[in-house]
Amino acid sequence: MSLTSPLIDLRRSPKGAVGTTDSNEQKKEKSLPIISASKIKVKNGKVIYRELKKTSVYENIGFSAANFTTQKNKRSSIDTGLSLAGIKKVELKGKLTLMEDWDFSPQTITFSGTFNVTKFNIPTFNNILEKSLPNEFDGGLLSSRGRVDLRAGQLNSEHDITISKVDLGKTTGYSREIPLGSIIKVLSDKYGNIRITLPVTGGSHQSKVECHLCYNQQPYEWPGKGG
């Protein structure tokens, strides 16, 4: 099966449900039929997600799968990528197995593969970063190559991250004695690049995810809030 330039338009209703229409039809009680395909390929897809106060657009979506199925305990091979505002490409590739028919929630799937981010433009996300950092960014690109293992809601991953062309901007007013400029100088190599390895572990049942920043073989524990 092959699809070229498909468009999916999702709208969030005032009650929080997401659908392709504003219909209030009830979900059917009977279970969905199992879908299986030896090969699926989607090229140049686009998704529009309309929330009540914000609309997000996801473009250049590509997806391919071999032996894809919505049946539990069957393995599929997936390879997907998309472009977002401020990010050149996000890619996810690996083996996927469902524990229940049609259930793609993180708590009930098994996935092992790679997760890569190419040219994440840091200044695009200043409105988010300013809430936890003392400076905005006038420049900066982040790329990451990672291995991911997700089993029954438990995540184990490790990411090799490169940050380049960093240029700090104006102060944000946020201050917890974070010497961001000094930290960047210490971590940068002679070409101005920052290279770190970031293992991330956690689970849906945990209140926070521990991140370990490794630099010069010295680990630093960085507790962060879990999703």
Side-chain angles (χ1 to χ4, degrees), residues 2 14 40 43 62 79 117 119 129 149 171 174 203 227:
S2 179
I40 297 176
K43 183 179 180 182
D79 185 352
V117 177
K119 291 187 177 179
L129 297 174
D149 187 82
T171 57
Y174 178 92

Side-chain angles (χ1 to χ4, degrees), residues 1-4 6 35-43 63-70 102:
M1 182 174 68
S2 179
L3 294 174
T4 301
I35 293 177
S36 298
S38 60
K39 189 175 182 179
I40 297 176
K41 187 172 184 179
V42 177
K43 183 179 180 182
F63 175 81
S64 64
N67 301 317
F68 178 82
T69 181
T70 59
W102 276 100

